[in-house]
Each structure stands twice: as structure tokens, then as C-alpha cells.
Amino acid sequence: MTAPRTYSPRTADLSCDLLVVGGGVFGLWIARHAALRGLDTILIEKDRVGSGASGGLLGALIPHLPERWDAKKKFQFEALTSLPDLVRAIEEETGLDCGYRRCGRLMPLWKESFADIAVKQTAAARQNWSTPETGFAWDIVERPPLDGWPAADAMPLGLVVDTLAARIDPRSYLAALRRSIESRVRIIESEAFEACADGVVETSGGKRIMAGRTVLSAGYETFPILGQLLGGEAASYGRPVKGQAALLAAELDDDLPLVFHDGTYVIVHDGGRVAVGSTSEQRFDAPFSTDAALDTVLDKARRLCPAIAGAPVIERWAGLRPRAVGRNPMIGALPDHPDVIVATGGFKITFGIAHKMAECVIDLATGGTPDLPESFRFAAHLKDRK
Ligand SMILES: Cc1cc2nc3c(=O)[nH]c(=O)nc-3n(C[C@H](O)[C@H](O)[C@H](O)COP(=O)(O)OP(=O)(O)OC[C@H]3O[C@@H](n4cnc5c(N)ncnc54)[C@H](O)[C@@H]3O)c2cc1C
């Protein structure tokens, strides 16, 4: 670490180079990269690893639209294309399957204006995704690979096939990530961050942890911590957005592309399971329970993909996504707290980019200069604060 803080372990119960707060997909990746770089790392999780938004059902790894290319889209493209090798390495290390498949995505064209835009997007993907070299394409086709997936009446103008999209099983992925760090990172569950000053973090269980750097990757609960450390309302840093999803039992070909239509995803996972979601709710009374809004999404999904029309629901789930004020991931050292780094706010795309963002976080923690899109930097978010 550059300029390590000097401290006396006698004043703390535990000490480490890096303390990660939060055991979601982002925190686990940060801990993994830290351990791989030889940092003595502790991860604290207020509940159980995977009990936040990352413990859900969907696991869509979806690229941004290929036109209007910018640093954010390039970052995501590189993340999505580098993920399969990293997943394979974790699977080999742990013997656990992450449920990853580059399944591609089908998007019905149901409006003339969408069909026109899709033509431009095809050309943009060819250039920005380097289709001739990478093979990743955004094509317009008349018929889906399997009749009824999606229903013909949902796609009067054909459909777009995006071959870059993939899916991963969120819970299997988290279990494998956890297993991959268990022997190198001290994971402490049921222990929440409460406060920090001068490199010492105090936890809900009364522990004092002396840390060279602390990374706040507590999902949407990072925003109140920022308010506590920097002043201001939690909402001026970001907000939770509720999402509801469901898991159905259906024996379908697990190579089927995922279907995306008007905000609704239908994703075939391994083992006869199909995930459907999700809602996007800015206002909610009951953050972790499902309601009629999920039934509406389920009805839509069943009309879209009649193959799941009679499939029984085996789980209904709701969670809160972290959406930072600048709408992009939020990464950076805190003003006046250079030993504290914020890492949150991936909103709907975190699963596809957490590994690459985590590498940037560790670059930052070790005094490097990460190649981050400007819009991800904490300073850029501060400009959007009201
Ligand atoms: C219905 C739904 C569907 C989604 N679908 C997709 C999708 O298909 N693809 C995709 O990429 N993204 C999707 N997302 C978004 C994605 O789940 C989140 O962006 C992602 O999980 C955020 O990961 P995280 O690690 O930042 O936060 P989290 O997973 O929320 O992890 C934060 C952790 O920090 C812990 N914590 C909180 N406070 C403290 C504290 N004080 N001390 C210690 N620990 C603390 C929490 O318990 C939690 O475990 C979806 C979200 C929802 C709700």
C-alpha cells in the first residue's frame, strides 16, 4: 500500500490492510482482488454474504446500447468480454458452477420507430463491438431460433439478436466467489459498520478494526454512511430502487437466449429454472416483499414466452438496488477521508462489471490510477448532488 497508516494493533481488536464493508457481488470481488494482490483483507457483512440485492434471481449480463459509444460503454464491453475467463478460473479453483452462459438476448421489434433505430444499432455494434474480430453482433432477424420464444404476436417487425448478452446464476456465483476467498480473507458476518475515524472502524458487535483502507461497498446502505461521514442527506448521494422478480420451474433448453421486452426479462437458468423480472420502483412501503406489481410482470412474461405460461412459481423475491445520484457506479476516495473509498451504485448492471470495477477499487487503494470512466468517479457524482 502507498503511504500506509501507522497504527498500534493494541488499540484495536483486529487490523488489516483493507477492510471491505458489505458482502454483495461488488464487495466479494473487491475482497478477491485485494487478496490476489497480497493485501491482508477483512470483509464485514451486517447480515449474511449475499443477503442484499446480489442474492436475487435474475442475473442478466446485458450490454448498453451499442450506439453513442463512450468510456462507460467501453468499460462495460471490456468487462462483459473478460468475465467468462474469470468465472472459469473461479469455477476451477472452487469446484462450484456459477451458472454462466453466453446465451445472447432477443428483443422483439414491435414499433416502426424501434425497427429504424435497430438498423442504426446494428451498424454501431459492428463498429464499437468490433463484430468482424469479436463475433459479437446486434442483428435483426425475422424469426427466433425457437418458434414461440418469444411469441410471434410480440414481434410483428422481427427481432434483434444481441449475441454479447449473457446470464449468470446470482446465488451460485456468490457462493463460488465466497468460496474463492474464504482461505485468504477473514469474512465476518452479522457485524455491521457503525462508524469510523482515523483508520479505526467500529462495528455493531463492538469490535474496533484498524484498517489501512476501508471500502464502503454496502449497496444502497452506503448512501447513509456517506451522509454520516461527509454530511448531508443520504438521498443526496443516492437512493434505493426496489425490484421484484420471480423464479419459475420449467424444463426448457438452457441454451435458450434470454428475452427482453419493454422492461421485462425472461431468463432460462440451468436446472429447469426460469427467472422473470423485474419491477423498478422509486417509491415503496415494503422494500422486501412482493405484491401485485410482480404479478403484472409475470403476466407480461407469460404472454411474451408462452412456453412458461403454465410454469409454477417457486420463489418470489424483492430487493433494493443501489442507484447513485449520478446514475452510474460511484467509486472514489472520500474528500477529507482519503483512507475511505466508496464503491457502490451499479444499479441494474453490477453483475456484469463488478469484477472490473473491483480491480479499479484496488488500484485506488494501493495508490494506483485506475482507468475509470469519469462518470463513475465520486467527484462526478458530487456535481449532481442537489
Ligand atoms: C429485482 C432485481 C433484479 C436485478 N437484476 C439484475 C440483473 O439482472 N443484472 C444485474 O447486473 N443487476 C441486477 N440487479 C441489480 C444488482 O442486483 C445490484 O446492482 C447488485 O447486486 C449490487 O451489488 P452490491 O454488492 O453493490 O450491493 P448488495 O448486493 O446490496 O450488497 C451490499 C451488502 O452490504 C451489506 N451491508 C449493508 N450495510 C452494511 C453495514 N453497515 N455493514 C456491513 N455490511 C452492510 C448488505 O447486507 C449487503 O449484503 C437487480 C436488482 C434487483 C433488486
Side-chain angles (χ1 to χ4, degrees):
M1 313 264 309
T2 49
R5 180 177 289 277
T6 54
Y7 56 83
S8 157
R10 274 170 303 166
T11 62
D13 302 303
L14 295 167
S15 67
C16 57
D17 295 327
L18 191 88
L19 175 67
V20 181
V21 178
V25 67
F26 203 178
L28 289 169
W29 264 111
I30 293 165
R32 178 171 164 85
H33 281 304
L36 291 174
R37 297 236 205 138
L39 300 182
D40 180 15
T41 305
I42 295 178
L43 183 151
I44 57 168
E45 160 56 51
K46 73 163 191 176
D47 191 352
R48 285 169 299 101
V49 164
S51 57
S54 304
L57 305 171
L58 230 50
L61 307 174
I62 296 300
H64 290 300
L65 296 173
E67 75 269 36
R68 291 199 294 275
W69 201 241
D70 61 12
K72 172 173 94 173
K73 294 186 177 188
K74 179 170 175 284
F75 184 93
Q76 193 212 29
F77 180 77
E78 289 168 1
L80 291 173
T81 50
S82 61
L83 187 59
D85 284 348
L86 300 182
V87 166
R88 209 169 300 120
I90 291 172
E91 289 179 335
E92 277 168 18
E93 271 174 49
T94 62
L96 297 176
D97 188 336
C98 297
Y100 177 90
R101 181 119 0 157
R102 175 148 275 134
C103 55
R105 166 175 55 162
L106 305 178
M107 287 165 284
L109 290 170
W110 49 286
K111 256 192 194 175
E112 211 59 67
S113 57
F114 290 172
D116 294 343
I117 295 168
V119 173
K120 295 187 185 113
Q121 289 167 335
T122 299
R126 197 174 164 75
Q127 182 178 345
N128 298 322
W129 295 359
S130 307
T131 302
E133 292 87 47
T134 62
F136 297 123
W138 185 280
D139 288 330
I140 302 167
V141 298
E142 278 179 22
R143 297 170 63 85
L146 178 75
D147 272 350
W149 190 266
D153 61 2
M155 38 168 286
L157 302 169
L159 72 169
V160 169
V161 181
D162 144 24
T163 63
L164 174 57
R167 49 97 167 158
I168 198 158
D169 180 72
R171 293 173 187 169
S172 304
Y173 186 31
L174 254 62
L177 266 172
R178 182 198 178 122
R179 175 82 61 85
S180 80
I181 60 171
E182 262 168 358
S183 64
R184 326 176 224 213
V185 172
R186 283 172 281 172
I187 299 175
I188 308 175
E189 290 171 297
S190 305
E191 197 85 52
F193 171 103
E194 289 226 315
C196 80
D198 297 328
V200 180
V201 167
E202 298 198 4
T203 70
S204 53
K207 286 193 176 58
R208 284 164 59 81
I209 305 178
M210 191 73 90
R213 296 281 188 279
T214 296
V215 181
L216 302 174
S217 46
Y220 75 93
E221 287 166 283
T222 308
F223 304 128
I225 300 178
L226 293 178
Q228 178 191 331
L229 295 177
L230 301 176
E233 295 288 318
S236 70
Y237 297 98
R239 287 171 185 277
V241 176
K242 179 176 174 181
Q244 303 183 39
L247 197 63
L248 284 64
E251 287 303 333
L252 295 170
D253 177 356
D254 48 27
D255 265 338
L256 276 176
L258 66 88
V259 178
F260 176 71
H261 181 48
D262 196 21
T264 298
Y265 285 100
V266 181
I267 306 173
V268 178
H269 284 286
D270 302 335
R273 295 163 312 135
V274 179
V276 166
S278 51
T279 64
S280 232
E281 301 161 62
Q282 311 283 342
R283 291 175 200 285
F284 44 85
D285 295 323
F288 303 112
S289 50
T290 62
D291 55 31
L294 179 57
D295 298 324
T296 304
V297 175
L298 275 163
D299 288 347
K300 230 170 117 181
R302 288 185 153 125
R303 279 195 305 275
L304 182 62
C305 297
I308 56 164
V313 174
I314 49 179
E315 184 176 346
R316 295 164 67 97
W317 181 86
L320 297 179
R321 315 168 174 99
R323 181 153 100 172
V325 61
R327 292 166 173 255
N328 288 305
M330 177 188 259
I331 295 170
L334 304 193
D336 302 329
H337 298 267
D339 55 335
V340 181
I341 295 169
V342 59
T344 188
F347 193 41
K348 291 188 176 180
I349 58 161
T350 312
F351 270 84
I353 59 174
H355 59 292
K356 191 165 162 68
M357 295 196 296
E359 226 173 339
C360 294
V361 169
I362 299 306
D363 283 346
L364 208 58
T366 53
T369 314
D371 190 13
L372 265 181
E374 272 314 303
S375 59
F376 286 18
R377 293 181 191 271
F378 190 51
H381 286 271
L382 293 184
K383 284 191 207 135
D384 290 315
R385 284 183 70 209
K386 303 232 166 40

